[in-house]
Amino acid sequence: MSAAERLSDALYGAGWSTVKKLPEPVAVRLGRSIADLAWKQRGKGVQRLESNYARVVPGAGPERLRELSRAGMRSYLRYWMESFRLPAWSRERVRAGFDPKDIHFLTDGLAAGNGVILALPHMANYDLAGAWVTTKLETPFTTVAERLKPETLYDRFVAYREGLGMEVLPHSGGSAFGTLARRLRDGGLVCLVADRDLSASGVEVDFFGETTRMPAGPALLAQQTGALLLPVTLWYDDSPIMQGQVHSPIEVPGSGTRAEKTSVMTQALADAFAGGIADHPEDWHMLQRLWLADLDPAKGPS
């Protein structure tokens, strides 16, 4: 384990052991202070956030982008402060902490018994949304986690999410897709973060007028299992309660090859994500390269 990996593991461990013990107002102030400090330092993450927001809010000048990135960092640190404290929240606090609109798409889909796939972008706090599902709806679900380094840090995240009632599968290894398909065929729920996939297997989509790749998994699972595919977007307002929108189901096209159907469905997911992100850009926590033009210096800015 490298020194950087040991430091990362120690910092996250301190977050879950220390921040969760803080009074909520103190944790809120701490998160905002850390966010503002990181924003003022203008590291690579903040600069990338502004670059991404420039696609989301076309025509925004430098001052507007700076405002957005500051709000974005505050939103991002709110996510972390909440996540560190979630294990200590009461069931009542979790139930009251999220107010999703059109939840009937999810509950009706589960009642139909064919399984449901929820696909989300990196917005607001999807861990809180997941805890709300397991607590308020009393519905367990399965998700996938990227294998982080060091392994001890990955284990921390798995333990944290399992403690919230989620079944967590490793992204690597090749067996996740089959397990997800079995859960759906049994009428279960699968939740996947699905706005970034820069692997060779990602599906190219138009996203805010430029090309990126998003995971094929949600569309392929819906085709293979008959499960309902629902986009979900999340955001914060000025209250302690996170907001959300369950969007209309994405239908499997009636004709075309599997690849063609996957392309159409993934583009529909991208469009739903884009609508939610455009309405609440500061709650989209994309501090990494996303668009293909940013991955190839010959095609655009780095």
Side-chain angles (χ1 to χ4, degrees):
M1 187 189 303
S2 69
E5 289 174 347
R6 286 196 297 271
L7 177 60
S8 179
D9 182 52
L11 288 173
Y12 282 107
W16 273 303
S17 64
T18 303
V19 174
K20 72 178 181 181
K21 299 176 183 177
L22 297 175
E24 189 158 347
V26 175
V28 170
R29 289 196 298 271
L30 176 62
R32 179 162 289 203
S33 297
I34 295 172
D36 288 349
L37 178 61
W39 177 76
K40 288 175 183 176
Q41 292 178 338
R42 293 195 56 76
K44 289 184 178 179
V46 173
Q47 293 180 50
R48 177 55 49 194
L49 191 63
E50 287 185 12
S51 175
N52 290 338
Y53 286 159
R55 267 66 171 245
V56 175
V57 188
E63 184 175 350
R64 172 61 175 147
L65 290 175
R66 291 269 287 164
E67 291 173 354
L68 275 174
S69 67
R70 184 177 191 181
M73 290 304 295
R74 287 181 171 183
S75 175
Y76 185 49
L77 265 294
R78 175 173 171 176
Y79 158 72
W80 278 113
M81 291 298 109
E82 286 181 349
S83 295
F84 288 142
R85 289 177 49 76
L86 262 177
W89 281 17
S90 68
R91 294 176 65 85
E92 292 72 23
R93 177 72 177 86
V94 172
R95 291 190 189 106
F98 182 38
D99 182 25
K101 311 300 186 291
D102 293 323
I103 196 67
H104 66 89
F105 286 127
L106 171 57
T107 54
D108 291 351
L110 290 170
N114 296 322
V116 176
I117 305 156
L118 296 180
L120 307 90
H122 287 81
M123 291 188 77
N125 190 341
Y126 37 84
D127 287 327
L128 172 54
W132 185 89
V133 168
T134 60
T135 304
K136 175 75 172 182
L137 300 186
E138 299 183 337
T139 301
F141 66 87
T142 304
T143 189
V144 174
E146 179 184 358
R147 276 205 175 277
L148 302 170
K149 291 183 179 181
E151 192 76 13
T152 51
L153 180 56
Y154 170 76
D155 292 341
R156 287 186 193 277
F157 273 94
V158 170
Y160 158 63
R161 289 180 172 135
E162 287 180 343
L164 299 177
M166 312 175 192
E167 179 188 21
V168 183
L169 307 176
H171 186 271
S172 58
S175 63
F177 188 91
T179 302
L180 294 173
R182 287 194 294 274
R183 299 292 183 268
L184 292 167
R185 290 193 185 98
D186 290 339
L189 175 63
V190 164
C191 299
L192 301 170
V193 179
D195 59 342
R196 186 174 187 263
D197 184 349
L198 303 179
S199 69
S201 61
V203 178
E204 289 196 2
V205 295
D206 179 89
F207 195 53
F208 292 102
E210 294 190 43
T211 303
T212 187
R213 295 192 191 101
M214 292 188 180
L220 289 173
L221 284 167
Q223 292 174 62
Q224 187 164 315
T225 67
L228 194 68
L229 176 55
L230 298 173
V232 179
T233 52
L234 309 171
W235 67 93
Y236 293 124
D237 58 16
D238 294 331
S239 77
I241 301 172
M242 185 175 70
Q243 305 298 311
Q245 175 70 54
V246 183
H247 298 263
S248 301
I250 292 177
E251 305 291 341
V252 177
S255 61
T257 65
R258 184 171 73 166
E260 289 169 343
K261 292 178 180 179
T262 300
S263 178
V264 170
M265 296 173 72
T266 307
Q267 182 62 60
L269 263 184
D271 292 343
F273 292 166
I277 292 167
D279 288 341
H280 307 280
E282 66 278 5
D283 293 315
W284 185 45
H285 307 149
M286 187 55 66
L287 281 73
Q288 301 84 23
R289 299 172 190 267
L290 181 73
W291 282 273
L292 301 191
D294 289 343
L295 301 177
D296 183 351
K299 294 181 180 179
S302 60

